[in-house]
Amino acid sequence: MTPRAFDEMGGFGEGCRPCYAALKRWLDEAPAELLDQRRKEAELLFRRIGITFAVYGEQAAQERLIPFDIIPRVIAGNEWRKLSHGLEQRVKALNALLKDVYGHREIVRAGVVPEELILCNPYFRPEMAQLRLAGDIYVAIAGIDVVRVDADTFYVLEDNARTPSGVSYMLENREAMIRLFPELFSRQSIAPVDGYPDELLATLHSIAPRRGEESCVVLLTPGPYNSAYYEHSFLADKLGVELVEGRDLFVRDETVFMRTTQGPKRVDVIYSRIDDDFLDPLAFRPDSVLGVPGLMLAYRAGNVSLANAVGTGVADDKAIYSYMPEIVRFYLGEEPILQNVPTWRCREPEALAYVLDHLGDLVVKEVNGSGGYGMLVGPAADAATRRLFAEKLKRRPDNFIAQPTLALSTCPTFVGSGIAPRHVDLRPFVLTGADKVRIVPGGLTRVALVEGSLVVNSSQGGGTKDTWILGE
Amino acid sequence: MRIRVSHTTRYDYSPPAKSAIQLLRLTPRGHEGQHVRHWRIDVDAPCRLKAGEDALGNITHAFTLEGPIQSFSVTVDGEVETQDSAGVVRGTVERFPPGLFLRTTTLTEPDDAILALAGEVREAMRRDPIVGLHDLSGMIHARMAFDTEATTTATKAGAALALGHGVCQDFAHIFISAARVLGVSARYVSGYLLRHDGLVVQEAGHAWAEAHVGGLGWVGFDPAHGLSPTDAYVRLAAALDYHGAAPILGSRYGGGQESLDVSVRVEHARRQIQS
């Protein structure tokens, strides 16, 4: 069994924490019928907005509504301040790592990270070597997944440094909550999140290669069949930029242009939501029809910026993750503010032996997996599943890491039987421009709706909540 | 040896294409045993030919054409002075440590057949890597039949090995894939071969592999012939696989059927002067 979890509202049982006081009072006073009615309204609202996502691997790949829980997750202002410092530090280190990885690889020379983990990493892109990026920004948009285990300790679970999604939920959830519960927002000071599109746009403009001109930003999507297409169109709309597919762009003389009814228009910054593999058939997968032939030529010539940069996946790889505390110290000379989950790298024989002996206590993840696919939650798995997984693990040990099952904090959540604690995580979004770092106070809180479950991914039955950062 | 190369690739579109973009890795660099006497590249259509270098240090030229494009050709012409170095390649431009060439790529991803092939030379490798790699090259040469119809540029190493048929590209991919399984850095090399049978006009360029061996550095292996490259080889570009070293990669927008006509002449420069 997992140890008893810290509850965001009740702590370890010492009573309601101050940041939840107003919400608890309201919950206690509100009649059950009212809450029930608001839940139904919330569902209608989300159906009308049409916020959906497709679940890969499901029959008929239908678009599904991610369940929304109306009880918000509340974080006190002072807690957020510390958390956001930690996030900023983390992303600074990620950017420094990437600059180094595609530069002189001092971190390898210093013996901190093995060369093989970088050069043979599937997300490492040799094409990025010796490229100078505007402001040295590789990860302009990060969605760092953090979990909490007690009043003071946040762990980083994953550094999503490629194309983190979910920010549309942060914005939509807030809009829904303001409509459904205006009285809650008048009772206390809750930091707004609706400035996110402006902050994102400013970040994207700040990395434009041409200085002193109005830069043209576009959002590049793989198209309507992508699970996050809703978010792509939502964000393009909020940003006021064109939503384009690969075929809408072309490269001429190492410059990217967009086809428009008024003729070609030069593009300066591409907010790319396409995997690197598909970006440019001349550089990566030759069979890609989603990308732009010659894009890497324009990129290497310094005529266009990409956010995030190509090849950032090497930094959010789970094997690299295990070195993050050393990485923070190496580049910043500081102690990491946020904790790293202790990680066994199965590529190391002693670690593999330990993991095989303790499969029942550990979470085992694929090094390059995401979305909760292909992982084993030891305590929740039966013996047969564990045996099968052990075989997989022995075949490709370097493909896996293992971590202890953390007691993720819980949040009061509406379930069939009333209000009950459910495990949550938090994905705040960190924007890094050539000028400064911007973090909108808030994020996406994901909740595992199944009792006792620790898997919050929407593809695995997770829901979302609005996240409130209280004023101090 | 002085080798003269003349290589033309002609594209025809019907109906015409609206635009085209190409990336060429068609210019050799000099290194020990290879001196480029002169080399020119020509595209017979109005465009800016932009010279550059890719991340691995290969010389590139890129250009875009605006349509309507009915046809165009890319021609290289040059002369290279070569010396035999028993396959050992020194003095090349290297942008990465050899460890990079342990990476797996889509085209060189090992499957069970490749793993089995690698297993057959593992013991020899342990005793002497050079012997093991020559064994590997020889085994590929013995088991694969040269066949220009069996595979395409997208055929993976394992698939070609299973077919038992392929072109020099497939032979090289199989070698690279198996070498990497054995922990040896290996890479794909594209270039030209002066054929000893005197065949001057060829259907395509050549491709082989290089493996990194402690104490020697990069050593060439040509599994299509079961030999190490000699002074009859002109080295154009090296990369993780065909896709990274391809002499021409292109894409076009609009247009109908594309037809391609390739002519490669590789000959002794002397003979050219005499004729």
Side-chain angles (χ1 to χ4, degrees):
Chain A
M1 266 313 291
T2 48
R4 201 159 60 97
F6 174 83
D7 189 69
E8 299 280 338
M9 184 158 85
F12 285 111
E14 61 270 20
C16 184
R17 298 173 64 239
C19 59
Y20 266 88
L23 182 67
K24 181 163 194 319
R25 207 161 41 234
W26 185 85
L27 275 174
D28 290 344
E29 288 163 8
E33 308 81 66
L34 175 79
L35 292 177
D36 221 42
Q37 187 201 333
R38 296 285 169 89
R39 285 176 65 196
K40 290 197 180 101
E41 283 173 33
E43 182 156 347
L44 268 175
L45 206 59
F46 278 97
R47 285 210 185 281
R48 207 165 50 231
I49 301 169
I51 188 163
T52 59
F53 79 111
V55 180
Y56 291 118
E58 280 207 355
Q59 292 264 309
Q62 77 277 39
E63 298 220 322
R64 217 165 62 177
L65 210 57
I66 295 187
F68 171 70
D69 184 66
I70 60 170
I71 305 179
R73 191 258 187 89
V74 186
I75 296 172
N78 60 331
E79 295 173 342
W80 173 257
R81 195 149 31 86
K82 186 180 162 204
L83 179 58
S84 62
H85 282 152
L87 292 167
E88 184 168 346
Q89 180 194 53
R90 186 99 178 174
V91 176
K92 239 188 218 164
L94 290 173
N95 274 307
L97 170 70
L98 285 161
K99 184 186 175 196
D100 186 29
V101 154
Y102 292 116
H104 298 291
R105 287 183 295 282
E106 298 295 348
I107 197 149
V108 172
R109 272 175 239 268
V112 178
V113 176
E115 176 185 277
E116 178 203 343
L117 268 194
I118 290 172
L119 294 184
C120 291
N121 189 299
Y123 293 106
F124 177 78
R125 299 290 171 192
E127 294 79 3
M128 290 299 290
Q130 309 299 336
L131 200 68
R132 279 306 298 268
L133 300 185
D136 293 325
I137 307 301
Y138 289 80
V139 184
I141 304 126
I144 310 278
D145 288 344
V146 292
V147 296
R148 181 180 206 170
V149 295
D150 60 39
D152 303 311
T153 317
F154 286 93
Y155 280 95
V156 173
L157 268 194
E158 272 178 35
D159 299 290
N160 296 296
R162 279 171 277 162
T163 51
S165 60
V167 80
S168 55
Y169 297 103
M170 171 180 91
L171 298 170
E172 297 277 43
N173 289 354
R174 176 59 54 84
E175 235 182 279
M177 285 301 285
I178 291 175
R179 277 210 233 171
L180 293 166
F181 304 101
E183 66 272 26
L184 283 175
F185 286 84
S186 60
R187 281 191 192 190
Q188 53 192 329
S189 140
I190 299 160
V193 294
D194 59 357
Y196 181 83
D198 286 343
E199 302 284 28
L200 174 57
L201 194 60
T203 301
L204 294 171
H205 278 298
S206 81
I207 58 167
R210 286 191 295 178
R211 294 266 135 237
E213 280 181 64
E214 182 59 21
S215 48
C216 172
V217 177
V218 298
L219 194 158
L220 178 63
T221 174
Y225 296 109
N226 185 270
S227 67
Y229 184 70
Y230 169 81
E231 176 158 300
H232 305 162
S233 64
F234 173 90
L235 280 178
D237 185 50
K238 292 271 180 195
L239 291 168
V241 304
E242 292 294 333
L243 177 68
V244 299
E245 294 181 36
R247 57 169 184 256
D248 300 320
L249 302 179
F250 67 92
V251 173
R252 184 199 294 159
D253 293 335
E254 299 183 325
T255 308
V256 181
F257 293 91
M258 167 169 54
R259 301 179 211 278
T260 78
T261 47
Q262 281 92 46
K265 183 170 193 297
R266 181 171 169 176
V267 171
D268 300 280
V269 181
I270 299 175
Y271 176 19
S272 168
R273 299 290 298 253
I274 292 189
D275 289 347
D276 291 350
D277 261 345
F278 295 95
L279 264 183
D280 177 356
L282 298 191
F284 308 121
R285 275 181 66 151
D287 57 342
S288 168
V289 290
L290 301 173
V292 186
L295 180 58
M296 284 303 288
L297 291 169
Y299 194 35
R300 284 183 64 87
N303 292 333
V304 71
S305 294
L306 288 171
N308 285 340
V310 171
T312 52
V314 62
D316 72 7
D317 173 275
K318 292 189 181 70
I320 296 287
Y321 164 94
S322 62
Y323 293 95
M324 272 312 281
E326 288 96 320
I327 288 170
V328 170
R329 283 181 209 116
F330 183 77
Y331 294 113
L332 309 179
E334 298 167 7
E335 275 308 301
I337 298 169
L338 300 176
Q339 299 295 310
N340 224 48
V341 184
T343 302
W344 286 273
R345 301 184 273 261
C346 300
R347 60 198 300 274
E348 296 165 6
E350 314 88 79
L352 176 65
Y354 179 88
V355 171
L356 287 168
D357 280 347
H358 296 82
L359 267 188
D361 310 321
L362 300 171
V363 178
V364 191
K365 298 174 176 174
E366 278 187 43
V367 172
N368 300 302
S370 68
Y373 292 100
M375 69 189 241
L376 175 84
V377 181
D382 56 34
T385 312
R386 287 208 292 263
R387 227 174 5 252
L388 268 174
F389 206 91
E391 289 310 312
K392 248 168 70 176
L393 190 53
K394 279 187 257 182
R395 258 199 310 276
R396 284 284 317 275
D398 58 320
N399 199 30
F400 295 93
I401 53 116
Q403 295 171 336
T405 41
L406 287 185
L408 270 59
S409 65
T410 57
C411 249
T413 301
F414 263 110
V415 295
S417 52
I419 297 175
R422 289 291 181 266
H423 296 289
V424 293
D425 78 349
L426 174 67
R427 177 178 294 178
F429 294 90
V430 183
L431 301 172
T432 308
D435 51 349
K436 61 174 179 175
V437 175
R438 299 167 171 90
I439 308 179
V440 169
L444 170 66
T445 292
R446 299 184 297 178
V447 51
L449 293 170
V450 178
E451 187 174 2
S453 168
L454 294 168
V455 186
V456 296
N457 302 76
S458 49
S459 50
Q460 314 277 320
T464 69
K465 285 169 169 291
D466 191 12
T467 309
W468 292 0
I469 312 300
L470 298 189
E472 285 184 59
Chain B
M1 201 184 299
R2 195 178 290 182
I3 300 172
R4 190 188 148 84
V5 174
S6 169
H7 176 184
T8 299
T9 309
R10 184 187 156 93
Y11 296 82
D12 279 276
Y13 299 99
S14 147
K18 289 192 176 128
S19 64
I21 180 167
Q22 289 208 335
L23 174 63
L24 314 176
R25 286 186 181 88
L26 270 174
T27 304
R29 288 193 104 129
H31 53 82
E32 276 181 40
Q34 174 165 308
H35 168 66
V36 184
R37 289 178 56 89
H38 58 81
W39 198 268
R40 50 171 281 144
I41 241 183
D42 186 54
V43 179
D44 68 348
C47 66
R48 253 181 53 204
L49 200 57
K50 183 85 200 299
E53 189 190 295
D54 70 14
L56 301 184
N58 301 303
I59 296 176
T60 59
H61 290 85
F63 65 92
T64 44
L65 298 179
E66 291 306 307
I69 310 161
Q70 230 140 24
S71 70
F72 70 95
S73 0
V74 178
T75 302
V76 294
D77 236 304
E79 234 177 74
V80 179
E81 184 89 48
T82 60
Q83 272 145 20
D84 198 336
S85 59
V88 178
V89 185
R90 290 212 176 93
T92 49
V93 170
E94 301 293 341
R95 300 287 182 233
F96 283 95
L100 180 81
F101 298 94
L102 288 167
R103 286 177 71 80
T104 299
T105 68
T106 309
L107 291 172
T108 57
E109 211 181 316
D111 64 0
D112 288 345
I114 297 277
L115 293 176
L117 177 69
E120 289 184 57
V121 294
R122 196 179 298 268
E123 201 38 52
M125 286 287 300
R126 227 192 313 269
R127 284 197 301 271
D128 183 349
I130 279 288
V131 172
L133 291 165
H134 275 297
D135 285 357
L136 177 62
S137 175
M139 277 157 63
I140 297 167
H141 177 62
R143 291 180 200 178
M144 295 287 294
F146 190 85
D147 179 350
T148 55
E149 303 294 316
T151 57
T152 70
T153 54
T155 304
K156 296 181 186 179
L161 182 59
L163 278 171
H165 288 250
V167 294
C168 50
Q169 172 190 310
D170 304 301
F171 288 62
H173 280 157
I174 295 167
F175 180 90
I176 293 163
S177 181
R180 288 180 190 157
V181 167
L182 294 164
V184 177
S185 294
R187 63 190 181 190
Y188 183 98
V189 181
S190 71
Y192 300 103
L193 170 62
L194 177 72
R195 292 177 60 125
H196 61 81
D197 59 7
L199 192 70
V200 169
V201 179
Q202 303 173 16
E203 278 180 47
H206 191 46
W208 59 96
E210 285 172 5
H212 197 265
V213 181
L216 285 175
W218 288 105
V219 180
F221 293 89
D222 181 1
H225 294 93
L227 303 164
S228 266
T230 62
D231 55 357
Y233 288 66
V234 176
R235 201 173 169 279
L236 264 184
L240 288 160
D241 61 15
Y242 159 77
H243 189 57
I248 302 183
L249 286 175
S251 174
R252 44 120 183 182
Y253 178 72
Q257 191 74 34
E258 175 183 273
S259 57
L260 190 68
D261 186 39
V262 183
S263 110
V264 180
R265 284 180 68 92
V266 187
E267 58 202 311
H268 278 289
R270 243 180 0 247
R271 220 179 278 165
Q272 185 68 15
I273 296 161
Q274 284 166 349
S275 63

